[in-house]
Amino acid sequence: MLTKVYGSAVFGVEATTITVEVNIDKGIGYHLVGLPDNAIKESNYRIAAALQNNGYKIPGKKITLNMAPADMRKEGSAYDLTLAIGILVASDQIKAEHLDEYIIMGELSLDGSLQPIRGALPIAIKAQEEGFKKFLLPSQNAKEAAIVKDLEVYGIDSIAQVINHFDTGAPLERTIVDTRSEFFNALEHPDFDFADVKGQESIKRCMEIAAAGGHNIILIGPPGAGKTMLAKRLPSILPPMTLREALETTKIHSVSGRMRENVGLMAHRPFRSPHHTISDVALVGGGAYPQPGEISLAHNGVLFLDELPEFKRTVLEVMRQPLEDREVTISRAKFTVTYPSSFMLVASMNPSPGGYFNDPGAPVTSTPAEMQRYLSKVSGPLLDRIDIHIEVTPVPFDKLSDERKAESSIDIRKRVTEARKLQTERFRESESIHYNAQMSVKQIRKYCALDEYSKTLLKNAMEKLNLSARAYDRILKVARTIADLEAVENIAGHHISEAIQYRSLDRDGWLG
């Protein structure tokens, strides 16, 4: 007897429906075909034990299981439940009506209980698109899949529940998630708040500008000045994610298996802070069976690189193209996957190997040669993609001991959100550009027009401070954001002069 059961495979952040065909015939043998990997080939041992421990068995006949399309590689243990139900139905051990309405996925334990799977959200989206009505999967992943409208999602704890549902009509409890209420409830309670930061008003101002325009930023300062503390609070002032952005971000984390159990939609922007020993593959993604890297896990959020010069140069260089294109493409001989990677880069570094620069009372000093060698680890082309360079100085005692509360992240975020609304309206006709940091040269010329005073100011600054040519467009983009925070249409001289301050590394005496 031939039976068809439906599962799904995830490639990149998209899913493809897999048809599992089970044929039982005279003879003996167990043949699993359709390019399964080792985890799937081993499934017959898990399935046999799970069925036996629940009062069923794999029949002693010739069983052929085909995973179609047969030329596409399948991987992972999530097909155990799909294969087990197919065997039970094909061998007439259970009855199953309307099996073609279901997507069934889950990894079996030997006692028949289910383990969580990866990629539940993309699978649910594809199932709904292709007209499937119901999705059976482990209960730990049910909330994640239940985000999708017009698809009945049922969280399962064991294979016995599925067998009883098909064979005797025992009802299953449907998982229902109110996506909007869950999403908006999580927004008003950031884990880290700018109210905790004493002093550093100028740096907070920089962070506000970076968040408002989506600008990449680098913080330069001695140890203990508060660089990491400030960076960790940046996501709390970014505008709330739209539902579309939240869905995109959740899909990536679902595929990589990073979703917490019983979590539906990710409401907070991600904050990723990889260690400086990270490899280039771990940062941008890849591997024999490609997985998203840190830059994709930071999609719609913040990627924080602490102690930037300590990262291997090759690791930093592979970021150049994703920073520009806001996606990363990983090519293999037989297939290509593309992961989105639109993130804000926040980097921090000490001004010298010892951590202190031009400080006569410093415990450690560095020679000019050591300084140059240290700073040259960060390439010009990478710095070219960082809009704001700001020096962070240690906080004096009177500020540290001040009992007054600083401005909260929620108040700062209100101003940032208003500035982003202006940018959304400005770029509404463009599909790929949503905020100032993404502007092309053509749009800079259109939206960053300067009056004569501002032009003269910028010209003098570039000559006197020996600013590089690459700083020109960056200054205009940042000035445009400062003007948006003030809700004014035209860039004025004070916007330009403030933006010029944020190009420390372009000056003589820093990077050569």
Side-chain angles (χ1 to χ4, degrees):
M1 181 178 174
L2 175 67
T3 297
K4 291 185 180 180
V5 193
Y6 297 93
S8 197
V10 178
F11 293 96
V13 289
E14 303 299 330
T16 303
T17 299
I18 301 295
T19 305
V20 175
E21 301 170 324
V22 185
N23 188 67
I24 296 184
D25 206 349
K26 291 177 183 176
I28 198 160
Y30 184 96
H31 308 286
L32 179 57
V33 297
L35 286 184
D37 71 351
N38 285 335
I40 303 173
K41 287 175 185 173
E42 293 168 352
S43 65
N44 62 319
Y45 300 109
R46 293 190 294 272
I47 292 168
L51 293 184
Q52 188 177 358
N53 289 324
N54 285 274
Y56 296 87
K57 63 178 182 178
I58 292 182
K61 296 184 177 180
K62 182 183 178 183
I63 304 172
T64 306
L65 303 102
N66 178 43
M67 305 179 78
D71 62 345
M72 180 187 292
R73 185 172 179 82
K74 290 81 180 180
E75 30 179 281
S77 52
Y79 300 98
D80 291 0
L81 186 61
T82 325
L83 297 168
I85 296 300
I87 290 168
L88 290 173
V89 175
S91 60
D92 273 336
Q93 294 182 67
I94 65 170
K95 302 292 181 196
E97 293 182 2
H98 309 296
L99 201 54
D100 58 346
E101 295 180 357
Y102 291 80
I103 288 280
I104 303 172
M105 297 292 286
E107 177 190 330
L108 283 171
S109 293
L110 299 187
D111 62 354
S113 60
L114 292 182
Q115 300 294 328
I117 63 171
R118 290 184 177 192
L121 180 56
I123 291 170
I125 292 169
K126 190 67 174 178
Q128 187 265 335
E129 284 174 4
E130 298 201 347
F132 289 95
K133 294 180 181 175
K134 299 172 184 177
F135 185 12
L136 306 185
L137 78 166
S139 55
Q140 298 97 317
N141 304 110
K143 282 188 82 171
E144 188 185 324
I147 293 167
V148 179
K149 287 183 181 179
D150 304 324
L151 181 71
E152 294 176 28
V153 173
Y154 299 94
I156 310 296
D157 293 315
S158 73
I159 191 172
Q161 284 180 265
V162 185
I163 291 170
N164 292 336
H165 173 66
F166 284 123
D167 204 29
T168 65
L172 296 171
E173 187 178 345
R174 182 179 174 185
T175 304
I176 298 173
V177 173
D178 185 346
T179 307
R180 288 185 173 274
S181 68
E182 279 214 352
F183 179 65
F184 291 111
N185 283 345
L187 289 178
E188 294 304 313
H189 305 286
D191 295 332
F192 297 101
D193 199 309
F194 268 103
D196 306 328
V197 181
K198 303 285 187 184
Q200 303 291 24
E201 303 306 329
S202 61
I203 316 301
K204 289 180 191 174
R205 167 70 174 170
C206 265
M207 289 289 195
E208 183 178 334
I209 293 166
H215 302 288
N216 300 324
I217 181 171
I218 184 166
L219 308 171
I220 312 123
K227 303 186 294 295
T228 305
M229 187 180 188
L230 287 157
K232 281 185 176 177
R233 281 153 180 74
L234 181 59
S236 68
I237 63 169
L238 286 170
M241 283 200 285
T242 62
L243 279 171
R244 181 184 62 78
E245 285 178 328
L247 200 62
E248 282 178 359
T249 307
T250 307
K251 271 171 79 173
I252 296 167
H253 285 252
S254 173
V255 165
S256 62
R258 304 294 177 95
M259 291 291 290
R260 296 199 304 273
E261 283 186 14
N262 299 313
V263 170
L265 202 62
M266 286 181 65
H268 294 297
R269 292 184 181 272
F271 179 86
R272 305 296 300 181
S273 179
H275 192 258
H276 64 257
T277 55
I278 192 171
S279 69
D280 46 4
V281 169
L283 187 70
V284 299
Y289 307 118
Q291 287 290 305
E294 288 291 335
I295 62 171
S296 296
L297 293 170
H299 181 60
N300 291 323
V302 174
L303 178 71
F304 176 48
L305 301 184
D306 201 2
E307 303 304 340
L308 189 69
E310 300 299 337
F311 284 78
K312 292 193 288 287
R313 191 174 177 114
T314 53
V315 171
L316 296 178
E317 294 310 294
V318 294
M319 276 204 313
R320 281 158 55 175
Q321 179 262 334
L323 272 170
E324 206 69 22
D325 298 344
R326 300 191 179 270
E327 63 179 24
V328 59
T329 301
I330 298 157
S331 297
R332 295 290 176 266
K334 293 187 177 178
F335 60 90
T336 298
V337 295
T338 299
Y339 295 114
S341 59
S342 180
F343 60 91
M344 267 185 72
L345 174 64
V346 180
S348 76
M349 61 184 280
N350 295 323
S352 64
Y356 301 89
F357 176 59
N358 286 349
D359 183 354
V364 183
T365 55
S366 305
T367 66
E370 287 174 334
M371 286 270 303
Q372 196 56 43
R373 191 161 55 247
Y374 177 75
L375 294 171
S376 65
K377 288 182 180 180
V378 185
S379 72
L382 180 65
L383 280 176
D384 190 31
R385 289 160 173 80
I386 299 178
D387 301 350
I388 298 175
H389 313 155
I390 187 72
E391 293 174 53
V392 184
T393 53
V395 183
F397 177 78
D398 58 330
K399 287 281 179 73
L400 279 174
S401 57
D402 193 345
E403 293 297 321
R404 285 176 298 177
K405 269 278 188 186
E407 191 176 23
S408 74
S409 289
I410 291 172
D411 292 334
I412 300 172
R413 190 170 67 197
K414 285 174 186 171
R415 297 196 294 271
V416 169
T417 304
E418 287 303 312
R420 281 282 181 106
K421 282 179 185 173
L422 292 175
Q423 294 165 49
T424 302
E425 179 63 23
R426 179 182 300 137
F427 304 122
R428 66 183 183 278
E429 293 175 7
S430 172
E431 285 187 14
S432 58
I433 295 173
H434 307 290
Y435 43 85
N436 290 338
Q438 297 173 325
M439 280 195 289
S440 65
V441 174
K442 183 179 177 184
Q443 284 157 328
I444 291 172
R445 300 293 172 264
K446 182 176 179 181
Y447 298 116
C448 302
L450 301 180
D451 56 28
E452 285 306 315
Y453 172 71
S454 300
K455 278 183 184 173
T456 306
L457 187 66
L458 185 52
K459 177 174 180 285
N460 290 340
M462 292 191 73
E463 288 172 356
K464 287 181 182 175
L465 298 174
N466 199 24
L467 292 174
S468 66
R470 69 173 177 248
Y472 179 76
D473 284 351
R474 303 288 167 183
I475 288 170
L476 290 179
K477 285 182 183 182
V478 173
R480 177 68 270 169
T481 301
I482 297 168
D484 288 341
L485 280 167
E486 293 180 9
V488 295
E489 190 174 337
N490 296 319
I491 296 173
H494 66 280
H495 301 140
I496 289 289
S497 59
E498 185 176 354
I500 289 166
Q501 294 176 46
Y502 304 143
R503 296 299 299 182
S504 301
L505 294 183
D506 285 316
R507 297 176 198 161
D508 265 354
W510 279 102
L511 294 182

